[in-house]
Amino acid sequence: MTQPASADFSVSLERGLKILSAFGGGRPVLGIADLARMVGVTKSTAHRYVATLVKLGYVEQDPDTRKYSSARGSPTWASPRSSRWT
């Protein structure tokens, strides 16, 4: 669940980190629809976030399946301690 708006909280950063965290916990390969559902955004919004993460080298796309996974060598993202991320 997203935090209430405040000057010291970035919803965009929260969403990006949720996408990166989604690849852990036995879910190494995900599609845009899966990510959108998990993060609670539209497919077009999920695609923009994932496209940015691909360009930055954190996520990669399999050209055959068109699904996404953590890029080789990218940091392993720990699960958040708070239940608000689930």
Side-chain angles (χ1 to χ4, degrees):
M1 172 173 267
T2 301
Q3 290 285 315
S6 76
D8 62 348
F9 189 83
S10 171
V11 174
S12 292
L13 179 57
E14 177 190 30
R15 289 176 179 167
L17 291 173
K18 281 183 177 183
I19 288 173
L20 289 173
S21 296
F23 292 105
R27 297 178 302 260
V29 179
L30 296 164
I32 291 295
D34 301 318
L35 289 163
R37 188 173 40 259
M38 293 169 81
V39 176
V41 297
T42 64
K43 288 190 281 187
S44 62
T45 298
H47 185 268
R48 284 194 312 274
Y49 280 98
V50 171
T52 300
L53 292 168
V54 168
K55 286 186 181 189
L56 293 172
Y58 290 101
V59 173
E60 59 190 13
Q61 185 180 33
D62 182 305
D64 296 326
T65 66
R66 301 183 50 82
K67 301 232 177 193
Y68 297 89
S69 62
S70 292
R72 286 180 216 97
S74 65
T76 302
W77 300 97
S79 297
R81 287 190 234 169
S82 171
S83 63
R84 71 175 178 236
W85 287 70
T86 58

